[in-house]
């Protein structure tokens, strides 16, 4: 076998290996994102500020199109009645994208876990930090706690 043929085979093998490594890195980088947020009171106006209390945290993992969310909250003014995922730019009120009542602990402290499927557009919105969690209570049906899902920096 000539040197030229051996060298060509080595170059092809190296090129194929490089393409495989880059493809795996690209897939791994795209399939798992992590998000985090802090839940704090949502003062709609001064008249409702006194009726709101509590705090919490949210973590979320996006694997492919599946978003797994874990929410912890405590110290609410009244029992929780629902959790919504809304979409808007940070600091603005937005429209409801997902709404949950089943499985939400009817208490002033608790934990909620949910997995849901996102469309490609919803994944893009999530990565652009345009989703937030809003927690409703008996005394504050328009929302007591809110927190944005922010990309977790490593």
């Amino acid at each position: 076998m000539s040197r030229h043929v051996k060298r060509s085979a080595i170059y092809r093998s190296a090129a194929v290996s490089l393409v495989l490594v880059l493809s795996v890195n690209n897939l791994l980088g795209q399939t798992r994102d992590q998000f985090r947020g802090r839940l704090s009171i949502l003062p709609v106006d001064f008249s409702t500020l006194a009726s709101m209390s509590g705090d919490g945290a949210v973590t979320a993992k996006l694997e492919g199109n599946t978003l797994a969310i874990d929410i912890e909250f405590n110290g609410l003014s009244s029992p929780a009645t629902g959790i919504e995922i809304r979409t808007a730019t940070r600091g603005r009120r937005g429209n409801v994208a997902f709404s949950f009542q089943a499985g939400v602990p009817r208490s002033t402290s608790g934990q909620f876990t949910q997995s849901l499927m996102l469309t490609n557009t919803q994944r893009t919105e999530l990565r652009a930090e345009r989703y937030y969690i809003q927690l409703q209570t008996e005394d504050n049906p328009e929302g007591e706690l809110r927190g944005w899902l922010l990309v977790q920096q490593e």
Side-chain angles (χ1 to χ4, degrees), residues 49-71:
L49 182 60
S51 71
M52 296 187 181
S53 62
D55 60 15
V58 56
T59 58
K61 293 180 184 176
L62 178 64
E63 294 190 40
N65 283 15
T66 303
L67 180 65
I69 300 174
D70 292 306
I71 299 170

Side-chain angles (χ1 to χ4, degrees), residues 7-8 12 16 23 28 30 32 35 46 59 70 72 90-91 93-94 108 116 150:
R7 211 177 288 162
S8 292
R12 268 184 287 194
V16 168
S23 296
L28 290 175
Q30 288 182 2
R32 186 170 190 180
F35 303 86
F46 288 112
T59 58
D70 292 306
E72 291 185 28
R90 275 198 254 170
R93 279 188 157 251
T108 58
L116 50 128
L150 305 175

